[in-house]
Structures are given as structure tokens and as C-alpha cells.
Amino acid sequence: MPTRTEDHRPPGLDAILRRLRSCSGFPTLSTTIVDINSVVANELHSARQLTQVILRDASLTTKLLQVVNSALYGQYHGRIRTVSKAVMILGCDEVRNTAMALTMLEFSKGRPQEKSLQNELVGAFFAGVVSKQLGQRLGIPNSEEAVICAMFQSLGRLLVTFFLYEENQKIRALVDKEIPEEAAAERVLGISYRELGVGVAREWNFPARLIEGMETLSTREISAPTGDVDRLKVAANYANDLCNAALRTPPSSKSAALFALSRRYGPAIKLDVRELGALIDQSLKEMAERTTGLDVPAEKNATWQTIRAWSGTPADTAETSTAEPAQTPDPLTEHVDAIDEQQQDAATTATETSQQALSAGIRDVTEALATDCSLNDLLHMVLETMYRGMDFTRTLIFIRDARMNSMRARFGFGADIESIIPQCSFSLAFAPDAFHVSIEKGADIVIENAQAENIAQRIPEWHRKATRARSFILLPVMLKGQAIGLLYADSEKPDGIKIDAEQLGLLRTLRGQVTLAFKHCAPGRA
């Protein structure tokens, strides 16, 4: 199967990119997706860094936790309370896909063309769901990659619909005159949708294999795949062709359309008309779950209605078929189940209190301690819980380095954390500052005003240079009378850190869990 490695830039690409960069919202959308792709590509620290990127956006964080606790992930329903745990359980690729879908959806809301944007997005999501199932049949090791390849095959069209309203109207007018869509796009934009999509995907740091997987295939190029990239191409193209058939042919022609697609892709994957119909039905079922989790009103979406009508699915089946059978509450557990449900509702809304967020994170960590969770994963959950629960500017953990006779910052979350961590270390040789007092005495310390006259002299020089923190908290992690770590959180806000007794108690519980993790985590798993 041939590969078109397009190292050259199409002549019209730079002009369109300049137009897009001047559009409201595009730079922010680009930054988020570039950051997400960059950290997923970094195998060494991708889990923590992906969590960090998502946590920068409070709205994205809340929506992601709503999705991963929805019926779509029934086995985890209500049990994922931190982004760190979502990444640990679901994997970076699935969290990336969900985060990018949520980001795109967020940018569609409140725009004049919101309905047409959501129509395009639902079509892209459906193609992604179909592609995932085809990828599994083709034996693609990571079928989440097939989702991305199929969804973003229509990236060029999505971007024009999102950001270039006038050009989109001109293209639609030409299509209404029966000019093929790609030709209409090239006439208006000076570049095809496909070339625009690939160009922006490169700008957004999509991995090369996914960009290759996004390539369109002509009939003569469809053959038995010889590698994973070929399989990605087949899955993405087949899925989009199925979606287009559902949207552009009448229901009476369904069998003929499926037969034609079965023959076209026969050299790559053997699926008869019956199997294709079953695949579409299963995809509709999963799509109903996904759109509910993504807060897309699919039942009111024209694209969704058209695909469902074409498949022959009755009007209410797609919604009701995915609903869990009604169960009679067990009187032994219904009281606790109701409380858990209330806590989960609070944990995925903007009204979550500090105490609720800290308590939810503690539950995640408690459950993780009972599994084979690595020390690093557990520390990520603790630091994220502190960061989100108390709205700190940043959180990090120092770990004792016996070889260097020092405490060194290992990792954390929050503002400028990657540049601050290398600056945060101090010798174990005693000095009369807050950090040494904390680890020497095992004392919890809350500094509400680091600039106060009687406090400033107790703040070490390295800390003043590394951060602009107005207040901070230190929670030493003690084992056999010795500090093996130090939890740190700070705030650069004028009001500083205000901690009540209940919040301090919850933070101490998190510190206790870190102590247990250090005590019980097997060597080499950190």
C-alpha cells in the first residue's frame, strides 16, 4: 500500500494557516492540542505531563472526569476522581482522544454556526467509533490510534466550518451546484480539505504514523495491509466511507451501498453486508454512550438522526439500548450507594468544595494502595488532589537523596512547574530555615505570609529565587524518625493560603498515605 509522504508544503497552506491564526480561539485550541500531543509522544513522563496539561484547564478537567465516570466506562462508573487515575487506568491514548474531543466540542459552543459544527463533530466522532471497531478486527495493537486517524481525516473540513465561516458558505454553495466537495474547497481555499488537515496535523505535532494513517486511499490503493500504518489507513478510510454512505445515500440504497463498500475494501478486510450492518449498529450503540458522556444532545443532532435512520434503527432504540437494565436497589447497600452517587455528582461539578475534592482524592489513593499501583502513580494522585482541592498555585514533592545528602524536588503540578523543579533542592546540613525545621522536627508548617518581617529571614534564598510564592505549606513524610520526603504546596495569590482544621486534617491524611506508599511500595516500582 503506497505512502504519500508530503514533505513539501502545498502552495496555499501558509496563507490559510495565517488566516486561521488570526481567528479568535484558534491559537488557544492549537496550544492545547499541541501540548497534549507532545506529552503523549514523550513515553518517559507522558502520564504526569498529560495530567498537567489537562489540569491547566479547570473546565476540561471537570468535563473529562464526567466522561470517564459515565456509562461509557461502566466498569469504572463513579470510581475515577482524579485525572491521574484516569490516565493510569485508561491509558494516555484514550485520555488524549477524549480530551481532544472535549476541547473541540467546547470551541463549537456559543458560535453562530454551532449546529453545523456539532453536525460535523458528530460525524467525525461516529467515524472514529467505527474505525476503532475496524481496527480491532484488523489487529491494530492500539485501536485508539484508529479513532484519531478517522476523526481527523475530516480535520480540514472541521477547521473551515469552525473558523472560516465565509469560505465555508462559498464551499457549500458550490457543493449545492453538484461540484465535488474537495474540488469546491480547493477552488475557494486554494488548497484541498485533505491538504489543510494534514498541514494542520503537522502543526499540531501529530505523530508521523497518525498523519500517514489519515491519508485518503483510492480504490486501486486498497490492498492487504502489510503493517500497522496500512491497517490504520484502511480502518480510517473504511469508517469515513461508511459514514459518508449513511449521510449521502437514501435508506432504500443501504444494501447496495454496503455491498459496494464490502467489495471495495475486500482486498484489505473481509466483511459482508450483514457484518457491516452489525458493525454500524454496534457503533451506534457506543456512539449513544459517547455522546451522552460528551454532553452532545445526539437525539437532536441532524447527522446522528440521518445515520440512525439509514441504519434502520428505530427512533428510541439507540438511546434505550445502551441504558443499563433497571435494577431493584439492594436494601443492604442502597443507603451507601445513594451517598456515593451524591459525592460523585459533586466531584464532577464546578461547585465541588475543597473538602469534597480532598476526600474524593483520598478515596482514589486508598483504592490505589490496595492494587499494584506504582509509587510514582500514587504520588501523582496525591499531588493532583492537593493541587485541585486547595486551588494551590503549585504542588510538588521533595525526596531524600542520600547519595547527594540533599532533598530534591521530584515532580509536581502547577504553574511553571517544569522550570521550577530543577531549582528546588537543598542540603540536609541543618540551617535555621522553615524547610530544615520541618524535616528535622517532623513538623507541619503553614506560612501564610512569606514576606512577614518575622518570617522572611526563615525563607531560604533558593526558594525566593525559584518562586514568587506569597505563602506555602510543608508536610514532612517521616519514616522511622527520618524525613524521606516533603510535600510542598504554595500560592502566589494576594490572600495567600487559608487552611482550616478540617482541610489540614485531610491534607495530613494524604501525607499519611504517601508514608504508607513509601513503606510498602516494592523497590524498583517507583
Side-chain angles (χ1 to χ4, degrees):
M1 196 174 291
T3 296
R4 297 184 291 275
T5 54
E6 300 178 30
D7 292 329
H8 73 283
R9 294 172 72 84
L13 178 60
D14 288 332
I16 294 298
L17 285 176
R18 282 194 297 272
R19 284 269 290 110
L20 287 170
R21 288 175 188 135
S22 68
C23 294
S24 173
F26 182 79
T28 303
L29 175 64
S30 296
T31 298
T32 301
I33 294 181
V34 166
D35 288 348
I36 289 172
N37 279 326
S38 296
V39 298
V40 171
N42 179 351
E43 295 182 0
L44 186 60
H45 297 300
S46 61
R48 175 177 61 83
Q49 292 180 336
L50 179 58
T51 302
Q52 166 79 355
V53 169
I54 293 169
L55 288 176
R56 287 177 197 162
D57 187 330
S59 176
L60 176 58
T61 298
T62 299
K63 288 181 170 64
L64 179 69
L65 290 174
Q66 287 173 339
V67 171
V68 298
N69 284 291
S70 68
L72 179 60
Y73 300 98
Q75 66 271 44
Y76 309 117
H77 183 39
R79 293 172 49 205
I80 300 178
R81 306 167 193 95
T82 58
V83 177
S84 298
K85 187 173 182 180
V87 174
M88 182 182 76
I89 291 178
L90 304 178
C92 286
D93 288 308
E94 186 149 358
V95 172
R96 172 193 61 185
N97 293 356
T98 304
M100 288 202 292
L102 286 167
T103 301
M104 300 281 280
L105 270 171
E106 192 62 24
F107 275 88
S108 74
K109 293 177 179 177
R111 294 175 179 268
Q113 65 275 39
E114 181 175 342
K115 283 190 177 179
S116 59
L117 289 174
Q118 293 204 349
N119 284 338
E120 294 288 350
L121 284 169
V122 166
F125 293 162
F126 182 74
V129 171
V130 173
S131 184
K132 181 177 181 178
Q133 295 204 38
L134 288 168
Q136 290 168 345
R137 292 178 182 239
L138 285 162
I140 296 173
N142 183 358
S143 58
E144 287 298 321
E145 291 186 330
V147 176
I148 289 290
C149 290
M151 276 181 56
F152 285 93
Q153 236 189 21
S154 55
L155 178 58
R157 185 191 306 111
L158 283 170
L159 290 171
V160 172
T161 307
F162 265 55
F163 298 108
L164 304 178
Y165 180 76
E166 291 181 6
E167 288 86 343
N168 182 56
Q169 293 299 103
K170 291 177 182 178
I171 292 169
R172 298 268 67 82
L174 291 174
V175 170
D176 289 343
K177 296 178 181 178
E178 300 189 353
I179 295 174
E181 190 174 36
E182 282 291 322
E186 193 156 7
R187 184 183 298 185
V188 173
L189 303 172
I191 186 174
S192 68
Y193 279 149
R194 185 184 67 80
E195 289 172 326
L196 175 58
V198 168
V200 172
R202 286 202 175 97
E203 293 276 318
W204 284 355
N205 283 354
F206 274 73
R209 61 186 276 112
L210 296 190
I211 292 175
E212 285 189 54
M214 289 164 57
E215 289 180 0
T216 53
L217 295 173
S218 64
T219 299
R220 62 183 176 80
E221 292 174 326
I222 298 173
S223 58
T226 57
D228 286 342
V229 172
D230 287 346
R231 294 183 181 93
L232 286 172
K233 290 181 189 177
V234 170
N237 279 269
Y238 208 157
N240 275 287
D241 283 350
L242 271 170
C243 185
N244 288 333
L247 292 172
R248 296 174 185 175
T249 59
S252 59
S253 302
K254 174 186 172 184
S255 295
L258 292 179
F259 180 73
L261 287 172
S262 175
R263 289 191 59 184
R264 182 174 189 235
Y265 286 92
I269 178 173
K270 300 294 183 184
L271 291 170
D272 60 27
V273 171
R274 181 187 59 80
E275 289 171 313
L276 283 176
L279 186 145
I280 291 172
D281 290 342
Q282 179 58 35
S283 297
L284 281 167
K285 179 180 178 182
E286 182 174 340
M287 186 67 184
E289 294 171 341
R290 284 182 180 258
T291 53
T292 299
L294 293 171
D295 194 25
V296 177
E299 70 280 359
K300 298 178 182 178
N301 183 275
T303 297
W304 169 260
Q305 294 287 5
T306 300
I307 294 172
R308 194 174 61 184
W310 189 82
S311 74
T313 306
D316 58 349
T317 300
E319 284 80 11
T320 58
S321 64
T322 60
E324 295 180 4
Q327 296 180 350
T328 303
D330 187 333
L332 296 176
T333 63
E334 63 179 333
H335 183 65
V336 171
D337 288 344
I339 293 173
D340 285 343
E341 191 69 30
Q342 289 174 357
Q343 288 183 331
Q344 182 54 40
D345 289 343
T348 54
T349 65
T351 58
E352 183 182 33
T353 67
S354 294
Q355 285 85 344
Q356 287 171 331
L358 292 171
S359 297
I362 288 168
R363 290 179 65 188
D364 259 10
V365 177
T366 301
E367 291 168 6
L369 281 167
T371 69
D372 61 353
C373 173
S374 75
L375 177 58
N376 277 0
D377 286 338
L378 190 139
L379 293 176
H380 293 161
M381 280 186 242
V382 169
L383 292 171
E384 179 192 337
T385 298
M386 294 173 61
Y387 176 70
R388 289 184 56 227
M390 296 298 297
D391 195 26
F392 290 126
T393 299
R394 65 187 65 83
T395 57
L396 56 84
I397 184 168
F398 292 83
I399 294 179
R400 190 184 195 95
D401 185 338
R403 184 176 60 85
M404 300 297 293
N405 194 40
S406 66
M407 279 283 186
R408 306 180 67 84
R410 182 78 172 270
F411 42 67
F413 294 111
D416 306 316
I417 197 70
E418 299 299 335
S419 61
I420 285 174
I421 283 176
Q423 304 176 61
C424 291
S425 66
F426 59 93
S427 170
L428 290 173
F430 185 77
D433 62 49
F435 288 80
H436 283 94
V437 169
S438 179
I439 64 173
E440 285 292 325
K441 296 185 176 182
D444 300 336
I445 292 178
V446 178
I447 302 294
E448 292 189 350
N449 182 4
Q451 298 171 344
E453 189 174 336
N454 63 336
I455 296 294
Q457 60 186 347
R458 309 293 294 275
I459 308 301
E461 182 68 17
W462 64 263
H463 182 266
R464 285 197 294 268
K465 289 181 178 178
T467 78
R468 297 185 299 276
R470 292 172 176 262
S471 55
F472 60 88
I473 180 171
L474 303 175
L475 299 172
V477 181
M478 308 295 289
L479 200 60
K480 297 180 180 179
Q482 184 181 70
I484 57 172
L486 178 66
L487 290 171
Y488 167 93
D490 67 29
S491 175
E492 294 181 358
K493 296 178 181 178
D495 293 341
I497 292 174
K498 305 293 183 185
I499 297 178
D500 62 31
E502 183 179 359
Q503 291 166 341
L504 182 59
L506 292 168
L507 290 171
R508 284 172 166 165
T509 298
L510 285 166
R511 186 260 310 280
Q513 292 179 315
V514 172
T515 305
L516 282 174
F518 272 106
K519 189 174 181 178
H520 297 298
C521 187
R525 277 171 50 202

